[in-house]
Amino acid sequence: MNLVRICDACTQEEVNKVMDAAKVAQKAWARTPLWKRAELLHKAAAILKEHKTPIAECLVKEIAKPAKDAVSEVVRSGDLVSYTAEEGVRILGEGKLLVSDSFPGNERNKYCLSSKVPLGVVLAIPPFNYPVNLAVSKIGPALIAGNSLVLKPPTQGAVAALHMVHCFHLAGFPKGLISCVTGKGSEIGDFLTMHPGVNCISFTGGDTGIAISKKAGMVPLQMELGGKDACIVLEDADLDLVAANIVKGGFSYSGQRCTAVKVVLIMEAVADTVVEKVNAKLAKLKVGPPEDDSDITPVVTESSANFIEGLVMDAKEKGATFCQEYRREGNLIWPLLLDHVRPDMRIAWEEPFGPVLPVIRINSVEEGIHHCNASNFGLQGCVFTRDINKAIMISDAMESGTVQINSAPARGPDHFPFQGLKDSGIGSQGITNSINMMTKVKSTVINLPSPSYTMG
Ligand code: NAP
């Protein structure tokens, strides 16, 4: 399948104009009452949901997302925007009053009033795999907090993202307040991320985020990057549940999810049974075009398919067991489970972002935890066991931002905190955390001529 490319690349002059407009619009927006900001967000959420069919069609054509998942992405995005409006009204409607006499040496003659104020212009850069959802997860919090927003959509997914932004304009958000800058990240990325008009960068994607964080200036950064989410399976686990979660977690949207299961670390005693169960399920997956609602669809680019193939060939040369025959037609790769993977194989550590999953057999829990923690990534992980005490201790030992007990890793629900350790990110997302991250605390201190004690 060939992906649509109809967006022009913005020039540097156009970017400058967008940044100027965003700065002006933000000043007016910050003076807009919070309840009105929330009202507009609710309106945008409703319009977004009304437009779910054409936006989902863009997702199917542009990024080969299975049709049903494409619709869910848009609906989930509408819900996220509404929830953000509600959460914003509550958390931004509250400030703090501090009194001075709690700190040694002070009397109560100072009152500190602190509240959250916007940062200014937020630059949002989402990845190709959720061009709508991972854009609104930045747009909603930025706008409710009184910021303006410049979106650099992924090149693949740009049409869906433009349509989504149009829904915000239809709701009545002024154009300068939320703008889209199209163009390849490799060409306009540096100009955007180092632009003096940007006051905050919220990025989701791969290693590019590490490079951006080294170049960006004195601005708050929210980075949600790659992962190599480990699935640790103990002997006492419910093996049917394990198999179902490995297939769903590892192969949904052809493995192109940041929180896909990317390595299975399984106790030798139950490995044969689980591998057999997973293989039986993989045989039932429908492979084909996204329009037919296939489970496995073409990966996003030829270079992605080549990269995945490189990992597969490396594993083959080094002796991994292929549970299925490796099959590829263009960008379409059939689901493949690789058993008996060892740590000297690239696929034990690298993120394929495709329907290819390595299984490493372990002889102790410690071995599994050691593999998980030796990774540069630390996004999510999961553990399957019926022993809740063991599960909690393993979760504590795993160096990842979130650990799921008895379920595959997942980003949602969207109000849960979501964060990566090590090379997987900076800061935390989730609706509340994103709103807080896109604000700054501002204080006003009232100095009384003499100490004053209530009822004193
Ligand atoms: P990517 O190549 O890093 O691209 C992400 C975004 O950055 C795209 O919009 C891209 O634009 C833009 N970009 C590229 N070069 C840039 C530069 N120099 N400066 C500024 N922006 C630049 O990632 P991807 O291939 O789209 O997505 C896959 C990766 O994202 C995987 O590693 C996955 O694990 C990760 N991911 C993480 C999360 C999370 O929440 N942790 C969620 C989803 C995905 P172009 O499209 O124009 O290149």
Side-chain angles (χ1 to χ4, degrees):
M1 194 183 78
N2 226 333
L3 308 168
V4 218
R5 278 281 315 277
I6 60 164
C7 295
D8 287 341
C10 289
T11 62
Q12 294 193 350
E13 270 166 23
E14 284 166 329
V15 171
N16 287 336
K17 274 192 195 153
V18 164
M19 292 295 175
D20 288 346
K23 194 171 177 183
V24 173
Q26 191 271 327
K27 299 279 177 223
W29 183 241
R31 288 194 297 269
T32 305
L34 187 49
W35 66 266
K36 272 198 183 172
R37 289 185 225 156
E39 202 173 74
L40 272 183
L41 281 171
H42 280 300
K43 210 168 157 194
I47 296 174
L48 194 56
K49 285 186 179 181
E50 279 164 25
H51 287 232
K52 66 175 187 250
T53 308
I55 298 178
E57 277 168 11
C58 295
L59 293 172
V60 170
K61 293 271 178 260
E62 285 186 284
I63 57 163
K65 184 158 278 196
K68 252 193 234 149
D69 295 346
V71 174
S72 316
E73 178 174 343
V74 184
V75 173
R76 170 184 175 186
S77 299
D79 291 338
L80 190 157
V81 173
S82 295
Y83 195 106
T84 306
E86 287 169 22
E87 186 72 352
V89 165
R90 289 190 195 105
I91 64 174
L92 297 167
E94 274 185 7
K96 256 189 182 177
L97 165 67
L98 286 86
V99 288
S100 49
D101 64 320
S102 54
F103 198 86
N106 283 270
E107 292 285 357
R108 187 173 294 199
N109 61 340
K110 290 173 188 284
Y111 291 168
C112 175
L113 301 173
S114 76
S115 61
K116 290 180 185 129
V117 295
L119 296 173
V121 179
V122 174
L123 172 65
I125 309 183
F128 81 84
N129 58 347
Y130 289 91
V132 174
N133 184 262
L134 290 176
V136 300
S137 70
K138 304 172 190 313
I139 294 171
L143 295 182
I144 193 70
N147 300 289
S148 58
L149 187 124
V150 175
L151 175 71
K152 202 295 271 179
T155 298
Q156 261 137 338
V159 181
L162 282 167
H163 200 138
M164 174 272 295
V165 168
H166 181 58
C167 294
F168 282 79
H169 292 157
L170 288 176
F173 283 96
K175 283 203 175 150
L177 189 70
I178 163 166
S179 317
C180 229
V181 171
T182 50
K184 275 193 174 173
S186 53
E187 286 162 18
I188 59 161
D190 280 356
F191 189 72
L192 271 171
T193 51
M194 295 195 277
H195 199 285
V198 169
N199 304 113
C200 169
I201 302 174
S202 177
F203 175 92
T204 306
D207 286 352
T208 321
I210 298 176
I212 292 174
S213 63
K214 288 181 181 150
K215 289 184 214 160
M218 280 273 291
V219 296
L221 299 177
Q222 188 178 43
M223 292 280 159
E224 291 295 342
L225 311 183
K228 184 75 183 170
D229 293 7
C231 172
I232 299 183
V233 184
L234 306 195
E235 289 106 328
D236 69 343
D238 173 340
L239 300 186
D240 287 316
L241 182 72
V242 170
N245 274 275
I246 287 177
V247 173
K248 186 164 176 273
F251 295 89
S252 303
Y253 188 33
S254 309
Q256 298 174 112
R257 294 166 49 247
C258 56
T259 53
V261 169
K262 294 192 182 123
V263 58
V264 177
L265 301 159
I266 185 162
M267 293 297 282
E268 182 68 61
V270 288
D272 283 345
T273 312
V274 169
V275 165
E276 198 178 306
K277 285 178 190 288
V278 170
N279 284 336
K281 286 184 185 295
L282 290 185
K284 290 186 191 146
L285 294 184
K286 186 170 162 188
V287 181
E291 290 84 355
D292 295 353
D293 224 16
S294 307
D295 301 300
I296 303 293
T297 57
V299 296
V300 71
T301 57
E302 193 185 346
S303 66
S304 301
N306 292 343
F307 175 76
I308 297 162
E309 187 163 292
L311 294 180
V312 170
M313 291 310 146
D314 175 76
K316 189 174 186 181
E317 276 163 29
K318 292 174 183 158
T321 304
F322 280 47
C323 297
Q324 293 77 22
E325 188 194 346
Y326 174 64
R327 193 171 162 204
R328 170 181 170 188
E329 278 173 23
N331 295 356
L332 186 60
I333 294 175
W334 269 251
L336 175 61
L337 192 72
L338 296 171
D339 197 0
H340 299 286
V341 165
R342 291 187 323 267
D344 62 324
M345 300 176 189
R346 285 176 55 203
I347 200 155
W349 305 104
E350 295 180 41
E351 186 187 24
F353 232 58
V356 174
L357 181 61
V359 175
I360 298 180
R361 293 171 177 235
I362 53 172
N363 292 303
S364 68
V365 172
E366 289 70 25
E367 208 183 314
I369 293 171
H370 178 265
H371 186 92
C372 167
N373 292 353
S375 168
N376 289 340
F377 293 118
L379 191 59
Q380 285 213 359
C382 60
V383 53
F384 286 85
T385 170
R386 286 189 169 94
D387 183 336
I388 188 67
N389 297 329
K390 265 193 200 162
I392 297 221
M393 287 166 86
I394 292 169
S395 166
D396 282 346
M398 285 170 81
E399 292 169 7
S400 40
T402 304
V403 175
Q404 304 267 350
I405 296 173
N406 292 325
S407 182
R411 192 167 186 278
D414 288 318
H415 67 303
F416 281 12
F418 183 66
Q419 54 280 317
L421 306 184
K422 301 191 268 187
D423 284 354
S424 288
I426 301 175
S428 177
Q429 287 200 48
I431 291 170
T432 313
N433 287 344
S434 291
I435 295 173
N436 284 331
M437 186 269 166
M438 291 176 186
T439 59
K440 219 174 179 159
V441 174
K442 162 93 194 250
S443 302
T444 301
V445 180
I446 301 164
N447 289 276
L448 299 176
S450 58
S452 170
Y453 290 87
T454 318
M455 314 288 283

